[in-house]
Amino acid sequence: MEPENHTGTPGFLLQGLSEEPEMQSVLSGLFLSLYLVTIFGHLLIILAIISDAHLHTPMYFFLFNLSFSDICFTSTTIPKMLVNIQTQSKAITYAGCITQMYFFTVFGLLDNLLLTVMAYDRFVAICRPLHYTVLMSPKLCAQLLLLSWLISVLGALPESVSVLRLSFCTDVEIPHYFCEFPEVLKLACSDTFINNVILYLVTGIMGFFPLAGIIFSYSKIVASVLRISTVGGKYKAFSTCGSHLSVVSLFYGTCLGVYLSSTGSRTSWTGVLASILYTLVTPMMNPFIYSLRNRDMKRALGTFLCSSLSSSRQEY
């Protein structure tokens, strides 16, 4: 089969999760519900943090940005899938596929880096409490956020740009519901060695170093917490960090599993399920994990909802 140059490739076909027509409406309803829960949950966290002055601290500053990043991360894939199901079209343009891959990677990396920064914030708060206000100054928080954005925007370029050099065969069906970089590589007719090297380098660097920073921070936190004499103090410290560790474990476990698996093998349901977990389930669970296990967040959410309902009744 003769390869076609990418300039002649009109686009790709996203096979989605099922070919059966009766399953399309079920999948559409399910993913729309999960997507709306995700967006609504993160918007509640964002509005609660904005409205409560007590939450204007470094920890909630980064949580605010994590919620914003999660909204964008989920929105790079799910709306397109829902549109394709409703229109009964599998098509995505070549430019649209590259764009989706780029922004998906940007917000995936941003989530990754924000989780790392939040681990450092908890490390300073628990292990260096007397120096916390100095070490986590507003200026440093802004610099860390800017650096996270800069690394994410630049770090996503190599994978997306490297696809431009590839030629694709006449079979352009992606056995997935979005343009995931490893899946696109499998459709190439030209040599993908450089692309695979870039894939493993970016995944290794952007996965290993942040994860190493998180593990180091929490090893120090655990050692510090174990030295606390009161049971109440230990519980408060562990409950604050437990939610963060839950999110980190699910995000890294599924994401690294997908990107470090063999790029030459056919897509399996296991790989698709892992992608669903880190692209939709993890962002959806974040608001519940952070709010249900955080007393300050629950109080702020309650106050915000009560004030919103009171305002609505007065207007009515």
Side-chain angles (χ1 to χ4, degrees):
M1 183 180 292
E2 292 295 327
E4 294 180 359
N5 188 273
H6 65 76
T7 55
T9 303
F12 299 94
L13 297 177
L14 298 171
Q15 291 185 355
L17 300 176
S18 175
E19 296 286 344
E20 300 178 9
E22 58 270 18
M23 285 296 296
Q24 296 297 318
S25 58
V26 175
L27 290 172
S28 177
L30 175 62
F31 276 81
L32 177 60
S33 300
L34 295 177
Y35 179 65
L36 291 177
V37 169
T38 302
I39 300 302
F40 182 70
H42 284 294
L43 284 178
L44 272 181
I45 285 183
I46 289 173
L47 293 173
I49 292 174
I50 291 175
S51 63
D52 193 329
H54 295 94
L55 300 184
H56 295 175
T57 63
M59 174 182 172
Y60 295 105
F61 170 75
F62 293 119
L63 179 57
F64 173 95
N65 285 279
L66 180 65
S67 289
F68 172 77
S69 179
D70 274 343
I71 290 175
C72 297
F73 182 58
T74 308
S75 297
T76 59
T77 59
I78 303 303
K80 176 60 178 174
M81 184 192 74
L82 294 174
V83 169
N84 281 6
I85 291 176
Q86 290 300 316
T87 59
Q88 297 184 350
S89 170
K90 301 178 180 179
I92 183 170
T93 64
Y94 178 81
C97 188
I98 301 297
T99 302
Q100 186 183 64
M101 276 194 298
Y102 175 72
F103 284 104
F104 176 79
T105 307
V106 167
F107 292 110
L109 292 178
L110 185 59
D111 264 14
N112 180 23
L113 294 172
L114 286 174
L115 289 172
T116 307
V117 173
M118 290 172 73
Y120 173 71
D121 172 74
R122 291 300 85 204
F123 162 73
V124 176
I126 294 175
C127 300
R128 302 287 188 273
L130 298 179
H131 303 91
Y132 180 75
T133 55
V134 176
L135 294 175
M136 296 302 296
S137 64
K139 181 179 179 180
L140 178 62
C141 291
Q143 290 174 340
L144 289 173
L145 178 63
L146 180 62
L147 182 62
S148 297
W149 270 100
L150 185 62
I151 294 175
S152 300
V153 169
L154 296 179
L157 282 175
E159 289 185 355
S160 302
V161 172
S162 68
V163 176
L164 299 176
R165 58 179 290 275
L166 297 177
S167 299
F168 293 93
C169 303
T170 54
D171 180 14
V172 289
E173 291 190 353
I174 300 175
H176 218 307
Y177 62 92
F178 71 99
C179 290
E180 196 166 31
F181 185 63
E183 300 305 322
V184 175
L185 293 187
K186 295 175 186 177
L187 302 179
C189 291
S190 52
D191 181 41
T192 60
F193 175 77
I194 294 177
N195 301 79
N196 286 324
V197 169
I198 291 173
L199 171 63
Y200 283 108
L201 277 177
V202 172
T203 305
I205 293 173
M206 298 305 298
F208 173 77
F209 288 105
L211 183 58
I214 291 173
I215 293 174
F216 174 80
S217 296
Y218 277 98
S219 64
K220 295 293 185 180
I221 288 172
V222 169
S224 179
V225 169
L226 291 177
R227 291 196 293 268
I228 298 176
S229 57
T230 62
V231 176
K234 290 181 180 180
Y235 175 78
K236 182 178 180 180
F238 275 125
S239 63
T240 302
C241 300
S243 57
H244 186 202
L245 282 175
S246 302
V247 173
V248 168
S249 300
L250 185 57
F251 180 81
Y252 273 96
T254 54
C255 187
L256 291 179
V258 170
Y259 278 82
L260 292 181
S261 61
S262 174
T263 56
S265 60
R266 289 180 60 84
T267 304
S268 65
W269 274 107
T270 304
V272 174
L273 179 60
S275 296
I276 294 173
L277 285 175
Y278 83 85
T279 59
L280 181 59
V281 176
T282 301
M284 181 190 69
M285 289 178 61
N286 284 357
F288 296 101
I289 292 173
Y290 281 112
S291 60
L292 294 178
R293 301 194 59 172
N294 189 303
R295 187 178 303 172
D296 293 334
M297 182 57 67
K298 284 192 288 186
R299 177 186 51 77
L301 285 171
T303 303
F304 173 75
L305 290 174
C306 288
S307 61
S308 299
L309 290 173
S310 176
S311 299
S312 299
R313 288 172 181 173
Q314 290 177 358
E315 291 178 1
Y316 180 77

